């Protein structure tokens, strides 16, 4: 039987740890069983192991197989819907709690890297780039909003100043976040896995969960074994099916595409991104890019609703890259891949508890890097009877997509087309 493998990404080709962990083939008992070895699962596991819990992680494929090991590798704070939206729709009290933790995920990520000496090419600085005057006004509002919630490491840049950070004439201006940054995501989650193992946690790969049996002690079953645990955390996100059937109509896997060029010369790197910051634009269907640790331009963008994998990723992404950096025409693309994230109707994460001791967190809607690290801390606290923040997140309404499973993809695509057109028209 073939061993599970990662997608053919640049990250998989440059992973620091290629070991395959064992498959679960026995019955074991732990304090907490976590389903899914991505950022949510690893952050939860590591926070609990640091407090002395016995933790086992079950992964259907490989550590970081899903979005955690395939994403753009950017530290972007807050949520896919920002704090002003939360305040408007869910009230000041909910917004105050969520605003207070909107910047915590990046701090957790950096602490893990520091405390466990994780080698993941972590670099500081992130830029939000405005493609038109309307988006620049929105960045002015974002700066004021974030500063109201205590996040002060922000600088507005006009068009000329932006070109000192991004070697492109596409942008009307930008917002520089000095506490943003970028990194090799697969090496980060692999480093977190090694940290967990150093604290006594165990990880089983190629161990897809087939059933979770509730009870005072829940039983998590795989084809070859089972785990009995006081608590279970379901953290499979977009690559999980069948374990949370009531949630499946309330979320939708979506794909995003990424390429990595051949290594660029130092002069090319300096011309493109003089300060080595990462960049994402402000479009609804946004582009994002950065320079890797070995000098490649990693460029991603676009969304395929329903997690359909396009046949020719390069044909979708290279034109976007050349619109930003036309001087890269003829540059070889060494890697092209796609990965799925989980979208919710309100573009806010879904937290919940089933039968008192089965928890879940998912649906970060494109903001998963920091939100998933925060989720691990929130879930860990809840398991330790400190559930105030979990309860606020779990109180957010979870709505099904209009049209049900049959029509959710075309309806959502129509909505995205509308917002994409508004971005192009600058309205």
């Amino acid at each position: 039987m073939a061993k599970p493998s990662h997608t053919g990404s640049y990250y998989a080709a440059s992973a620091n740890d290629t070991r395959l962990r064992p498959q679960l083939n026995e019955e074991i008992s732990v304090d907490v069983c976590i389903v899914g070895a991505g950022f949510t699962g690893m952050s939860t596991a590591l926070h609990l192991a640091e407090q002395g819990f016995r933790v086992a992680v079950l992964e259907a494929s490989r550590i970081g197989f899903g979005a955690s090991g395939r994403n753009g590798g950017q530290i972007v704070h807050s949520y896919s819907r920002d704090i002003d939206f939360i305040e408007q729709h869910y009230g000041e009290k909910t917004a105050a709690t969520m605003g207070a933790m909107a910047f915590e995920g990046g701090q957790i990520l950096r602490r893990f890297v520091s405390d466990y000496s994780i080698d993941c090419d972590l670099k500081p600085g992130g830029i939000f780039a405005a493609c038109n005057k309307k988006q620049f006004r929105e960045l002015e509002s974002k700066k004021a909003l974030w500063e109201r919630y205590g996040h002060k490491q922000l600088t507005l840049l006009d068009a000329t100043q932006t070109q000192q950070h991004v070697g492109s004439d596409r942008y009307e201006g930008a917002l520089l976040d000095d506490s943003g940054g970028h990194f090799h995501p697969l090496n980060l989650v692999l480093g977190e896995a090694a940290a967990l193992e150093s604290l006594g946690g165990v990880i089983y790969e190629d161990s897809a969960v087939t059933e979770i049996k509730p009870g005072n002690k829940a039983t998590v079953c795989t084809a070859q074994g089972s785990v009995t645990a006081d608590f279970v955390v379901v953290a499979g996100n977009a690559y999980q099916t069948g374990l949370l059937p009531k949630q499946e109509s309330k979320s939708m896997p979506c794909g995003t595409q990424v390429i990595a060029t051949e290594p660029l010369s130092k002069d090319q790197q300096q011309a493109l991104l003089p300060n080595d910051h990462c960049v994402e634009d402000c479009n609804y269907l946004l582009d994002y890019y950065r320079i890797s640790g070995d000098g490649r331009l990693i460029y991603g963008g676009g969304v395929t609703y329903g997690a359909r994998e396009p046949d020719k990723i390069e044909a979708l992404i290279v034109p976007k890259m050349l619109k930003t950096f036309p001087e890269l025409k003829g540059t070889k693309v060494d890697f092209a891949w796609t990965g799925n994230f989980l979208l919710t109707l309100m573009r806010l994460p879904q937290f919940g508890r089933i039968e008192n001791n089965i928890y879940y967190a998912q649906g970060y809607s494109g903001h998963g890097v920091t939100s998933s690290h925060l989720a691990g801390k929130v879930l860990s606290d809840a398991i330790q009877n400190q559930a105030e923040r979990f309860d606020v997140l779990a109180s957010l309404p979870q709505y099904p997509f209009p049209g049900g499973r049959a029509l959710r993809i075309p309806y959502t695509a129509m909505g995205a087309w509308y917002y994409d057109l508004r971005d192009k028209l600058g309205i």
Side-chain angles (χ1 to χ4, degrees):
M1 191 173 184
K3 294 180 179 180
S5 62
H6 286 282
T7 188
S9 69
Y10 160 71
Y11 301 134
S14 54
N16 291 334
D17 182 356
T18 59
R19 292 175 294 148
L20 178 65
R21 269 66 172 187
Q23 185 182 62
L24 180 67
N25 57 13
E26 60 181 328
E27 297 178 356
I28 64 171
S29 178
V30 294
D31 298 323
V32 184
C33 178
I34 293 171
V35 182
F39 286 146
T40 300
M42 284 304 159
S43 178
T44 307
L46 199 44
H47 277 106
L48 289 168
E50 288 175 335
Q51 297 301 314
F53 284 78
R54 296 176 301 130
V55 181
V57 180
L58 301 179
E59 167 56 47
S61 185
R62 302 293 303 275
I63 296 166
F65 174 81
S68 299
R70 307 189 192 200
N71 63 78
Q74 300 196 16
I75 298 173
V76 180
H77 299 295
S78 193
Y79 314 94
S80 187
R81 291 287 194 183
D82 218 335
I83 310 164
D84 54 346
F85 177 93
I86 296 167
E87 185 175 279
Q88 179 182 353
H89 288 80
Y90 307 113
E92 293 183 1
K93 185 176 180 180
T94 296
T97 301
M98 293 185 67
M101 54 183 167
F103 311 101
E104 187 177 338
Q107 298 167 7
I108 292 169
L109 186 159
R110 283 191 161 92
R111 179 180 76 80
F112 286 165
V113 171
S114 175
D115 287 358
Y116 298 103
S117 301
I118 298 174
D119 179 10
C120 62
D121 298 326
L122 179 60
K123 303 176 186 180
I127 286 177
F128 301 95
C131 298
N132 54 54
K133 288 182 171 58
K134 173 178 176 287
Q135 291 179 359
F136 186 70
R137 292 193 296 270
E138 290 170 348
L139 287 180
E140 292 177 316
S141 298
K142 179 190 284 285
K143 181 175 184 289
L145 174 69
W146 283 12
E147 288 179 340
R148 181 155 62 92
Y149 283 90
H151 190 58
K152 308 286 189 180
Q153 298 169 277
L154 303 166
T155 306
L156 274 173
L157 308 172
D158 63 23
T160 300
Q161 292 169 320
T162 299
Q163 289 191 357
Q164 297 170 12
H165 294 266
V166 186
S168 175
D169 60 4
R170 283 190 66 184
Y171 305 118
E172 291 284 343
L175 181 64
L176 170 62
D177 183 357
D178 286 322
S179 74
H182 56 107
F183 59 95
H184 188 302
L186 183 56
N187 279 337
L188 174 59
V189 71
L190 288 168
E192 291 169 351
L196 172 65
E197 291 168 331
S198 75
L199 297 176
V202 292
I203 303 168
Y204 298 93
E205 294 181 304
D206 192 18
S207 299
V209 172
T210 57
E211 183 183 9
I212 300 174
K213 298 178 181 178
N216 290 332
K217 285 183 176 291
T219 302
V220 183
C221 303
T222 70
Q224 305 296 329
S226 66
V227 181
T228 300
D230 297 317
F231 299 95
V232 175
V233 174
V234 181
N237 211 39
Y239 288 82
Q240 169 185 288
T241 56
L243 297 182
L244 299 173
K246 292 183 179 179
Q247 309 312 123
E248 290 190 12
S249 67
K250 302 174 184 177
S251 58
M252 178 170 59
C254 297
T256 185
Q257 294 77 49
V258 191
I259 62 173
T261 68
E262 63 186 333
L264 306 177
S265 70
K266 291 291 185 182
D267 287 345
Q268 286 177 303
Q269 296 174 46
Q270 182 68 20
L272 300 183
L273 293 167
N275 300 290
D276 203 8
H277 298 326
C278 61
V279 181
E280 68 167 53
D281 69 31
C282 298
N283 287 332
Y284 186 83
L285 301 178
L286 57 84
D287 288 6
Y288 49 91
Y289 50 90
R290 64 188 186 87
I291 300 292
S292 68
D294 61 353
R296 303 170 187 272
L297 182 66
I298 296 178
Y299 202 107
V303 175
T304 52
Y305 294 99
R308 174 182 59 85
E309 294 205 8
D311 295 330
K312 296 181 179 179
I313 296 170
E314 288 183 45
L316 293 174
I317 303 302
V318 169
K320 296 174 180 289
M321 179 183 76
L322 295 180
K323 185 177 181 180
T324 308
F325 300 119
E327 65 269 38
L328 291 181
K329 186 175 182 179
T331 300
K332 183 184 176 186
V333 173
D334 281 349
F335 299 92
W337 68 96
T338 188
N340 297 340
F341 63 93
L342 196 63
L343 183 73
T344 67
L345 184 65
M346 302 304 287
R347 288 171 51 195
L348 286 169
Q350 297 174 340
F351 283 66
R353 183 193 294 111
I354 302 167
E355 300 285 342
N356 296 320
N357 61 350
I358 300 172
Y359 292 80
Y360 64 86
Q362 61 178 26
Y364 308 112
S365 302
H367 257 63
V369 166
T370 54
S371 294
S372 58
H373 281 85
L374 170 66
K377 174 64 170 140
V378 171
L379 290 164
S380 169
D381 288 346
I383 287 171
Q384 297 174 78
N385 295 316
Q386 301 171 45
E388 294 84 0
R389 300 199 302 174
F390 174 87
D391 288 341
V392 169
L393 288 162
S395 73
L396 297 174
Q398 300 176 17
Y399 299 115
F401 279 84
R405 294 179 66 86
L407 296 177
R408 64 182 180 176
I409 293 173
Y411 281 1
T412 306
M414 286 170 60
W417 174 85
Y418 168 75
Y419 286 108
D420 185 45
L421 180 62
R422 287 174 61 93
D423 284 334
K424 290 174 180 175
L425 296 175
I427 59 175

